[in-house]
Amino acid sequence: STTLKATGGSGAYEWSFGDGLTSPADWSLSQTGVLTTKNAKEGVYAFSVRATDSGTNTYQQAQISVKILPAGSVATGDRKSV
């Protein structure tokens, strides 16, 4: 699992899958931004996520991709601000 983060705004953020790209099967995204999967196979998964600012009820959406590596691999990655 990994936790998504957003900056700026005036309140706490509520996370959800966004419009556009379909969220992958067997993945979940909690309202607090924890992205998890239990059954993903090796590969790259692309989808949209949305962070809604509870203070202003406005949101930002971004398309992200997650690469699942073979067991035992170590990865570094790019970070994208939402």
Side-chain angles (χ1 to χ4, degrees), residues 9-38:
S10 62
Y13 289 97
E14 183 176 307
W15 289 89
S16 62
F17 286 112
D19 299 330
L21 299 172
T22 305
S23 59
D26 297 326
W27 289 69
S28 64
L29 178 58
S30 74
Q31 289 183 341
T32 58
V34 179
L35 180 65
T36 59
T37 184
K38 293 183 181 178

Side-chain angles (χ1 to χ4, degrees), residues 2 14 22 31 36 52 54 60 66 69 74:
T2 191
E14 183 176 307
T22 305
Q31 289 183 341
T36 59
T52 301
S54 64
Q60 290 291 318
V66 176
L69 300 172
V74 176

